[in-house]
Amino acid sequence: MTFSPIFLQILQVLTVLALSPLLHGFIVRMEERVQMSAGPSIFQPYRDLCKYFSKELVVPRDASWVFLLTPIVAFTAMLTVPLLIPVLTNYPLPLSDMGDILGGGLILTLGSFALLLAGLDTGQPFGGLGSSRAVMLTVLAEPTLILVLVGITFLDHAMLPFVANHLLVSQPAAFLSPTHIFLTLAFLILLTVETDRLPIHSTIPYEIYMIDEARILEYSGPLLGLLKWASWMKQFILYTIFLNVFLFPWGLATNGHWLSILGASAMILLKYAGLGLFMVGVDTAQSRLRFYRYQEPLALSFLFAVLAIVAAQL
């Protein structure tokens, strides 16, 4: 049996939707195991979502329409990006030409921007603190991300992630080139920033180093469930870009046959679990930094991106 391209396009979105809580649960479980504690089940995020969507919605008195619209914008943005990137297949699907890799990055940024406004909307001190810190990180992270995307275009002379995937699979020289190695290192550091793995983050409620958690403290019920789910999907999408475009572009389906799709799905579980374990190791091994030193890893990421572009011109 061979699936139609339209069905595969929908399946890519459903894969991100369904597996993102599992990836988050796996990472949390492994973090607890490394710290010699039992930890929650890897299926706990699914139970949390059921709990959030069954709770009553409470809206702060001073909240405006921005507060209500932000979870919908963030969730919709995360449903759009899987249409543009190689999640299951290594060839473009019908809607993949709606945008290139830069367009996907802008859609991810749209969700973060809406969340930033929501943190400021209620006027609560923790929301404003989290939003201001997120802006400081974004000011350094976004130029680096643009440089990484520009570096990809220098490498494969195209902005489509599928072209980069094909180039790295078919040409080992391009995969081992200094340009690709520097781009991979730069994106890896960005990955720690965008998935809250930078050693200045904290998810402990009312802890002074909270950033993303501080911006959603006022949310509850279904809206909080949407924001949590969108955050997990963003992590899954960034893992997809890092693995299927930069680090390990192999293992995707080359046609719509069900065996090829099944193999790609199994490869997703292996690849993402491996990267999740690596990130747990990084998160556990690195020492905590004071917040004002946040620019050090981001500066290193920017340096790698610049070196990648210089190497591409030599």
Side-chain angles (χ1 to χ4, degrees):
M1 181 176 61
T2 301
F3 297 121
S4 68
I6 293 293
F7 178 81
L8 291 176
Q9 190 96 66
I10 298 172
L11 190 60
Q12 287 210 146
V13 178
L14 294 178
T15 300
V16 175
L17 198 64
L19 295 185
S20 54
L22 182 65
L23 175 62
H24 177 74
F26 174 77
I27 292 175
V28 172
R29 170 80 173 185
M30 290 302 106
E31 285 177 337
E32 296 294 333
R33 297 296 293 173
V34 168
Q35 298 173 12
M36 306 300 290
S37 59
S41 165
I42 62 173
F43 301 106
Q44 184 61 39
Y46 296 103
R47 301 188 187 113
D48 291 341
L49 287 178
C50 293
K51 180 180 66 177
Y52 293 139
F53 286 109
S54 62
K55 293 283 187 179
E56 181 183 359
L57 175 62
V58 178
V59 179
R61 184 181 56 186
D62 298 329
S64 70
W65 58 271
V66 173
F67 183 87
L68 298 174
L69 192 60
T70 290
I72 300 172
V73 171
F75 193 78
T76 305
M78 298 309 136
L79 290 179
T80 305
V81 178
L83 299 174
L84 311 176
I85 59 177
V87 179
L88 291 173
T89 67
N90 71 346
Y91 56 90
L93 295 169
L95 298 179
S96 299
D97 58 354
M98 285 196 310
D100 51 24
I101 192 169
L102 183 59
L106 291 176
I107 294 174
L108 286 176
T109 304
L110 174 64
S112 301
F113 179 70
L115 196 57
L116 187 149
L117 294 181
L120 298 171
D121 185 59
T122 59
Q124 297 300 316
F126 278 105
L129 188 66
S131 293
S132 64
R133 287 175 170 169
V135 168
M136 286 191 289
L137 290 174
T138 303
V139 164
L140 292 181
E142 291 302 319
T144 307
L145 178 61
I146 293 174
L147 277 182
V148 170
L149 300 180
V150 170
I152 281 288
T153 61
F154 284 156
L155 185 67
D156 58 13
H157 305 290
M159 289 292 286
L160 290 176
F162 294 94
V163 177
N165 176 278
H166 280 222
L167 175 73
L168 297 174
V169 169
S170 60
Q171 298 185 21
F175 186 84
L176 299 174
S177 66
T179 301
H180 176 250
I181 293 173
F182 286 135
L183 288 175
T184 303
L185 292 174
F187 196 88
L188 178 61
I189 296 176
L190 287 177
L191 195 62
T192 64
V193 177
E194 298 292 343
T195 58
D196 299 345
R197 297 289 162 189
L198 203 64
I200 59 170
H201 283 275
S202 174
T203 57
I204 302 173
Y206 299 105
E207 212 272 352
I208 193 171
Y209 290 108
M210 283 193 307
I211 298 178
D212 286 342
E213 290 291 327
R215 292 185 290 177
I216 61 174
L217 274 180
E218 299 298 319
Y219 281 98
S220 62
L223 293 183
L224 180 59
L226 283 179
L227 285 175
K228 291 280 187 181
W229 206 346
S231 172
W232 300 336
M233 285 196 290
K234 181 181 179 182
Q235 176 178 253
F236 193 95
I237 289 168
L238 290 172
Y239 275 36
T240 300
I241 297 173
F242 182 68
L243 287 170
N244 292 345
V245 179
F246 286 93
L247 184 64
F248 198 88
W250 300 277
L252 296 176
T254 56
N255 54 62
H257 194 273
W258 71 272
L259 279 176
S260 187
I261 298 299
L262 185 63
S265 303
M267 187 61 74
I268 280 180
L269 298 178
L270 291 176
K271 288 196 298 186
Y272 289 45
L275 180 57
L277 287 174
F278 175 77
M279 296 302 285
V280 168
V282 170
D283 198 18
T284 305
Q286 62 185 347
S287 57
R288 185 71 172 273
L289 292 177
R290 292 182 180 178
F291 180 77
Y292 65 81
R293 295 180 62 183
Y294 67 92
Q295 65 269 46
E296 294 177 7
L298 287 170
L300 181 61
S301 176
F302 185 82
L303 176 62
F304 282 139
V306 171
L307 289 175
I309 293 178
V310 172
Q313 300 303 312
L314 295 178

